[in-house]
Amino acid sequence: MTSFETFNYDVLVIGAGGAGLRAAIEASAAGVKVGLICKSLLGKAHTVMAEGGVAAALANVDDRDSWKVHFADTMRGGQYVNNWRMAELHAKEAPDRVRELEAWGAVFDRTKDGRILQRNFGGHRYPRLAHVGDRTGLELIRTLQDQGVHRGLDVHMEFTVVSLLVSDGRASGVIGYERERGRFKLFTAAAIVLATGGAGRAYRITSNSWEGTGDGHALAYRAGAELMDMEFIQFHPTGMIWPPSVQGILVTEGVRGEGGILLNREGRRFMFDDIPEPYRNQTADNEDEGWRYTQGDKSARRPPELLTRDHVARCIMREVKAGRGSPHGGVFLDIAWIKKRLSGAEAHIKRKLPSMYHQFKELGDIDITREPMEVGPTTHYIMGGIRVDADTQMSTVPGLFAAGECAAGINGANRLGGNSLSDLLVFGKRAGEFAAAFAKEHPAVAADAAQAQRAIDEALQPFARPAGSENPFTVQAALQDMMQSLVGIVRTESEMQQAVRELAALSARAARAGITGHREYNPGWHTAIDLRNLLAVSEAIARSALERKESRGGHFREDFPDKSPEYATFNIVTRRAADGTMDVRRVPLPPMPAELKQIIEDQKA
Ligand SMILES: Cc1cc2nc3c(=O)[nH]c(=O)nc-3n(C[C@H](O)[C@H](O)[C@H](O)COP(=O)(O)OP(=O)(O)OC[C@H]3O[C@@H](n4cnc5c(N)ncnc54)[C@H](O)[C@@H]3O)c2cc1C
């Protein structure tokens, strides 16, 4: 029997990105005892990388904006399989959450008359993204962290949760290890909030940080919760592609919001070639109109570079496949061209996009004020996640809540840029509030020590495997390559069937993965543990993608290239069956109230 230190909380939050911090602050404000756990250092969560901004209909730059337009944009972007209630709450509450952040000390860029400045982003009808240059995530995390520290949150850093404990059908605690020393600790709580972020590390090319291994998805799945919409992965159209060492690093959509254009190797603006019907009325049909839109001309329509991410990514792939790509297999993104239209363009670009300027200069020796960037799609965001109740964020396991990227619902088939940071604030707050209320109403149930011991034994297995057995890094790389090529941007039945077979083989290899050394800061061990999560998440992605025999948002099937009205009526949900296999089923979308339907119709013009 392993001895371990035990901590008891009313509400335990796992993850200190935007969603986790916001949840912890809210739970703490409700007067309950809150613990916060994170895999990295406080302030270093993936959210810190967010660049372009947080979407909220503040209407500071264009007074035609409102929650209704934001709601309709989000539903259309998600191709109408979003949870309408989440989209409604999000659009209504995001402005207050942003103003609250400002009151807590976030210093946003300002309009000339001193209000929060908002910028254009793909799929948003009006300039809507409150931002801090292209470092918005840093400001968001800094502000929430200050607020959390001020509230006296109990933070456990560099601690990896390996298992959720369930007693009498309720979430009762977690077990995990300190990354520094490898010592196990048990945490019990009356309510647990998962805010563990995304799963981009299931793919070879990704913008996600090392933390994005789908831990929360897998922890919840193994604890009996349902996952939803796992087939919907967002491949952001613009990641760096050269040099190879930086492949996948994000190039913010803010570049296109500031007037950046996409060109193929012939120098043609190919985005004008294919404008989807639902967006035709709102999209510029000439270059001049597109430019005027980016400069705030309210009579102009947005340029096609600001169509939704799924569409832009596929247009780039089309150019590359047709042999019209850039030398390293992408296309060109040009912001330098704006000097033809704007005096002082060089200083303007450096001021509006300081991180992008620095990133390309340092990593690629490219001066973006003078030359175009080479870009291509990168795995960026997972729309799928833990299935939650829209209002409370509670999962299908009582006492287990989820918020942020690891939860599903608000984004449907495709997320609009900027809607994640607002999601973290709106639903992080809600998760904290309702988790605290749950904890007050339901005293903690005792965590099961035998369950904790089994989780520890399993986590330690890689140390017991003979030398020369499988290497966890090799298995992880094979998984990432396989997901990239078989369940990537363009999918087909036969390739995904092959992916499911390969996943079984990779799981068998992962079960043989052995490591040497001791438990202190052992990256091989950390990788072996991450692998279990990545494999579970990858299987949910592949099986859900097989089930959706149509193309919608981030899920594109070459064998079913069109949207099917039948598939617009349900979400795909996966759950662990009693025999340990993955159960996949279709769950009808809840009916949308007439007044919300009307808002969507009104906004189609
Ligand atoms: C480069 C980049 C730029 C982006 N720009 C924008 C933008 O401008 N606007 C926008 O809206 N969105 C943007 N996004 C998306 C957005 O940043 C993310 O979706 C969002 O930050 C996720 O936040 P989160 O709180 O859900 O999780 P994260 O910020 O990913 O935090 C997860 C937390 O969970 C912890 N954790 C994970 N697993 C465990 C475990 N097993 N045990 C303990 N702790 C664990 C981690 O340590 C971390 O603290 C961007 C994404 C990238 C990659």
Side-chain angles (χ1 to χ4, degrees):
M1 198 74 177
T2 316
S3 66
F4 39 73
E5 217 178 333
T6 301
F7 297 83
N8 305 308
Y9 292 103
D10 298 316
V11 172
L12 180 66
V13 179
I14 304 167
L21 279 167
R22 191 61 193 82
I25 290 167
E26 199 62 22
S28 166
V32 299
K33 189 177 174 206
V34 182
L36 178 65
I37 295 179
C38 50
K39 222 156 73 158
S40 57
L41 292 168
L42 186 64
K44 298 285 182 195
H46 173 95
T47 299
V48 84
M49 295 160 73
E51 295 165 354
V54 42
L58 296 158
N60 286 353
V61 172
D62 194 318
D63 57 14
R64 291 171 297 179
D65 206 7
S66 69
W67 78 263
K68 292 180 179 175
V69 190
H70 193 182
F71 166 75
D73 286 350
T74 300
M75 292 300 295
R76 183 177 44 186
Q79 307 204 354
Y80 304 109
V81 291
N82 327 46
N83 178 304
W84 58 261
R85 175 68 179 153
M86 284 178 83
E88 179 193 13
L89 289 169
H90 169 253
K92 282 181 173 165
E93 294 177 8
D96 279 350
R97 296 288 77 77
V98 170
R99 283 189 280 262
E100 174 181 75
L101 208 61
E102 189 187 36
W104 289 348
V107 185
F108 288 102
D109 286 7
R110 323 298 298 178
T111 60
K112 287 200 176 81
D113 60 357
R115 290 177 297 161
I116 295 174
L117 183 60
Q118 296 183 272
R119 66 159 44 121
N120 293 308
F121 240 56
H124 292 282
R125 185 159 190 166
Y126 302 120
R128 192 176 281 145
L129 266 69
H131 59 278
V132 184
D134 54 5
R135 295 172 181 152
T136 313
L138 176 63
E139 187 69 357
L140 188 138
I141 282 285
R142 188 192 62 73
T143 308
L144 292 177
Q145 189 182 322
D146 282 359
Q147 186 66 208
V149 169
H150 167 74
R151 289 206 163 273
L153 293 178
D154 218 353
V155 184
H156 303 263
M157 290 186 244
E158 300 202 300
F159 186 90
T160 302
V161 171
V162 296
S163 189
L164 266 169
L165 308 177
V166 178
S167 310
D168 302 331
R170 255 185 70 187
S172 57
V174 304
I175 187 94
Y177 66 94
E178 284 173 343
R179 294 173 76 84
E180 189 186 353
R181 307 298 301 275
R183 282 189 298 227
F184 285 89
K185 289 180 181 171
L186 173 72
F187 293 78
T188 69
I192 297 172
V193 180
L194 287 171
T196 48
R201 289 277 152 183
Y203 288 82
R204 182 168 54 80
I205 302 172
T206 180
S207 62
N208 285 196
S209 79
W210 63 272
E211 293 178 294
T213 46
D215 293 10
H217 294 74
L219 289 167
Y221 171 77
R222 285 197 289 269
E226 294 179 341
L227 303 181
M228 188 172 88
D229 292 341
M230 293 297 284
E231 69 276 28
F232 296 128
I233 303 287
Q234 180 165 84
F235 298 95
H236 192 291
T238 59
M240 288 181 85
I241 56 170
W242 194 257
S245 57
V246 301
Q247 199 176 25
I249 294 181
L250 193 75
V251 182
T252 175
E253 197 163 316
V255 176
R256 285 170 283 143
E258 298 297 338
I261 56 176
L262 289 165
L263 303 167
N264 64 17
R265 74 180 315 144
E266 296 156 2
R268 203 162 53 78
R269 244 176 114 173
F270 57 88
M271 285 306 302
F272 278 105
D273 297 350
D274 177 12
I275 296 170
E277 206 42 53
Y279 288 94
R280 192 169 295 281
N281 291 340
Q282 295 175 16
T283 307
D285 55 16
N286 64 78
E287 298 193 359
D288 183 61
E289 184 182 10
W291 166 251
R292 285 189 287 110
Y293 176 92
T294 63
Q295 300 311 295
D297 179 345
K298 290 185 183 171
S299 68
R301 293 170 299 173
R302 70 179 152 229
E305 278 83 0
L306 290 178
L307 284 162
T308 54
R309 290 174 175 177
D310 53 332
H311 179 74
V312 180
R314 278 195 296 278
C315 289
I316 292 175
M317 293 303 285
R318 181 194 65 211
E319 293 304 301
V320 174
K321 269 193 174 168
R324 296 188 292 265
S326 62
H328 300 104
V331 294
F332 295 106
L333 172 62
D334 190 5
I335 183 78
W337 82 280
I338 69 171
K339 58 179 169 278
K340 290 187 196 154
R341 302 268 188 164
L342 202 69
S343 63
E346 196 174 318
H348 178 80
I349 294 168
K350 285 184 187 164
R351 191 174 68 252
K352 295 304 258 180
L353 301 162
S355 298
M356 288 304 105
Y357 175 76
H358 184 75
Q359 182 173 309
F360 274 89
K361 198 83 191 109
E362 292 294 313
L363 303 177
D365 198 22
I366 298 277
D367 179 350
I368 67 168
T369 67
R370 290 162 194 270
E371 36 189 341
M373 303 156 243
E374 258 192 278
V375 295
T378 179
T379 313
H380 185 57
Y381 184 89
I382 182 159
M383 274 71 78
I386 301 156
R387 187 177 178 213
V388 290
D389 173 74
D391 286 74
T392 64
Q393 298 294 107
M394 189 156 88
S395 74
T396 44
V397 172
L400 181 64
F401 297 74
E405 191 168 341
C406 72
I410 186 199
N411 296 300
N414 177 51
R415 174 180 71 91
L416 298 185
N419 269 4
S420 172
L421 294 188
S422 40
D423 165 18
L424 311 182
L425 297 174
V426 168
F427 294 107
K429 175 187 184 294
R430 281 184 165 266
E433 177 185 337
F434 286 95
F438 184 93
K440 284 179 184 170
E441 282 165 27
H442 305 84
V445 283
D448 175 356
Q451 228 181 91
Q453 185 60 49
R454 277 198 299 279
I456 293 174
D457 293 344
E458 201 183 331
L460 290 174
Q461 272 175 15
F463 287 105
R465 295 184 187 130
S469 51
E470 283 287 355
N471 176 325
F473 294 105
T474 315
V475 183
Q476 188 192 47
L479 170 68
Q480 291 165 333
D481 280 342
M482 188 281 287
M483 288 298 286
Q484 190 76 36
S485 62
L486 300 181
V487 202
I489 302 182
V490 178
R491 302 166 173 180
T492 63
E493 182 84 12
S494 57
E495 287 185 350
M496 290 190 291
Q497 294 287 9
Q498 188 189 336
V500 170
R501 287 191 296 276
E502 292 200 16
L503 279 166
L506 286 163
S507 295
R509 286 177 62 187
R512 292 195 299 272
I515 48 174
T516 53
H518 45 71
R519 285 201 232 157
E520 293 183 8
Y521 262 128
N522 186 330
W525 185 33
H526 303 165
T527 302
I529 285 174
D530 290 348
L531 250 180
R532 292 189 308 178
N533 301 329
L534 285 172
L535 283 162
V537 168
S538 300
E539 185 179 350
I541 295 170
R543 289 193 187 278
S544 303
L546 274 165
E547 183 69 10
R548 189 169 283 280
K549 296 186 193 324
E550 65 152 0
S551 293
R552 186 178 295 272
H555 170 69
F556 183 78
R557 288 193 57 158
E558 208 164 28
D559 44 356
F560 298 98
D562 300 317
K563 269 205 286 281
S564 143
E566 180 201 345
Y567 281 78
T569 59
F570 56 81
N571 296 112
I572 292 169
V573 167
T574 51
R575 198 176 53 181
R576 189 176 167 138
D579 63 0
T581 58
M582 192 172 279
D583 177 49
V584 183
R585 65 196 173 98
R586 300 172 176 192
V587 174
L589 286 164
M592 191 189 297
E595 61 273 21
L596 293 182
K597 280 190 187 154
Q598 191 57 48
I599 290 172
I600 290 173
E601 281 311 306
D602 293 347
Q603 294 301 324
K604 280 188 177 160

